[in-house]
Amino acid sequence: MSDQMYIKDTDETFDAIVIGSGLSGGWAAKELCERGLKTLMIERGRVVEHRKDYIGEGVAPWDMPMRGKVDNILLEQRYRIQKQCYAFNDATKHFFGNDRDLPYTTKDDTTFSWIRANQLGGKSLLWHRQSYRLSDHDFAANSLDGHGNDWPIRYADIEKWYGHVERHAGISGAKEGLEQLPDSEFLPPFDMTKPELDIKAAIEKVYPDRKMIMGRMAHLTQPSELHIKQGRVQCQARNECQKGCSFGAYFSTQSSTLPAAAATGNLHIAPNSVVHSLIYDEQSKKVRGVRVIDNDTLAEREYYAKVVFLCASTLGSTQIMLNSTSRTFPDGIANSSGVLGHYLMDHNYNAGATGDVSGYEDEYYRGRRPGGIIIPNFQYEPKRGKKNYLRGYALAGGAYREGWQQNASTKGFGEKFKQQMTQAGKWRFGLHAQGEMLPRYENTVKLHHSLKDKWGIPQLEINCRWSDNELDMMKDAADTAEEMLKVAGVENVSSYVNQGPPGLAIHELGTARMGRNPKDSVLNRFNQTHDIDNLFVTDGASFSSSAVQNPSLTFMALTARAVDYAVSEMKQGRI
């Protein structure tokens, strides 16, 4: 990446501005630049260079000051919220936001864990890389049961864009022909272990509609020529992905879309630029540009463009829109419908079951596979199953062998005990729920009436809670997972239901949803705001429902599709 690419002050008007540099922002920049548009990417955080800035990569726990643990004072002062993330440790903490500098509030007795990654590449450096298409069942769910508004698109509208991003990103998996989980354009899947294969057979014999498949992951199991040209090589199965991957074996902005955008010569980047608001022109009824505050000096500056893509994450984009007020939009830009900030969703990971698998002492897995198995939602149609809740859930997990830490807690003494600690422990197997959250008007984010952050921007106030529907769903998921494990011969099975807050799935969705009717939605079928034709929102804020699948692949496909539409409209002179 050339230093000339990075800018600070400029009077130039760009063809396009992209706010955010994560999965959606990286794709927006790539697609815009490759179509010949001079594009400015605005990132509120620091620059992270591929390979050079992966400072925790390859560092063994025993070479860390506290064996990977983070100092308790740092945890409380800087990472009180961030430490809840599964990927947070001493080797990755530099990729997480500082809670002290990024305050937000929650309403009344609600809690919400907002995981932040403010740097070039955003959460594309930290995501879990699970990549699934939505199906027509997902796009039609709201209209069928009356919760939320109808998506303005169906699977046929986005199918080719899924293929477009999959070929570039590289998705491993197997063709299964499942109605509720359309197949992708796949690289070879990772292998299941022998216990997983046997448990799969046992479950599917009793429950033919509950297919246990290998998880679909944005990992290069067999790189194509396109991937090699990107400078990416085969996944080494280290399962240390959140430290950064110099191999480029998993898809991230740094490894894939950013180099592609830079290669065109059309990309410029303004890092350390905290977006305050969008600049709206009352006469032309368009967004003229973006108002930013320097991350370090707090100096204000403005950037201008013909079209703006908001890709700052669900809550980040919504905060910017709410803070962009004018005579026409006193309650937030493009908010004539009044639904901006409403219908916040996340996935529900609060139930599951685990148990012991006897035998298989001579079996082990090769490498550290970066993901597990999944049983896709088998309640994808309202008529399926007898239940006291709407929608459904997937069950993900897998088999694993306990390591020396678990062996050390068992009884023993002397030479025999020491020898035992050098061996792999017993096999275990778990299934853990990923449940859909209904879109509900009362789950909201808004600007706090008085509290601001250090950049002078009003803090977000989040009011989000699980409904009885999600709570009942998790009870059923725990019972179902326990039942399935017992059927498969897993021993000492125990199930659980907990009350983890929304946010920890890191799948925030909604708050600027797509829809057919401008009176109850913010965006049209191409992620273009109903009210302003040169403003697009293509991250999770655009979702009308959550489905159960990890949403990142759909972010990417929607973004590529929206860019294609925007460029066509610009060429036609309609933007």
Side-chain angles (χ1 to χ4, degrees), residues 38-103:
K38 192 164 188 177
T39 302
L40 175 66
M41 173 185 279
I42 300 177
E43 167 54 51
R44 69 178 293 155
R46 66 190 177 101
V47 172
V48 174
E49 291 189 28
H50 187 43
R51 301 188 177 97
K52 175 184 174 183
D53 291 327
Y54 302 155
I55 60 176
E57 184 181 22
V59 180
W62 51 85
D63 288 330
M64 298 178 190
M66 298 178 66
R67 304 300 188 262
K69 303 295 183 182
V70 180
D71 180 86
N72 285 334
I73 295 177
L74 280 180
L75 287 178
E76 290 307 312
Q77 289 184 347
R78 300 185 187 179
Y79 303 116
R80 184 175 53 86
I81 303 296
Q82 308 307 307
K83 69 180 180 181
Q84 300 174 70
C85 178
Y86 64 89
F88 181 87
N89 58 55
D90 195 40
T92 63
K93 67 179 186 297
H94 48 280
F95 289 147
F96 286 84
N98 183 337
D99 290 323
R100 180 182 57 193
D101 292 338
L102 300 168

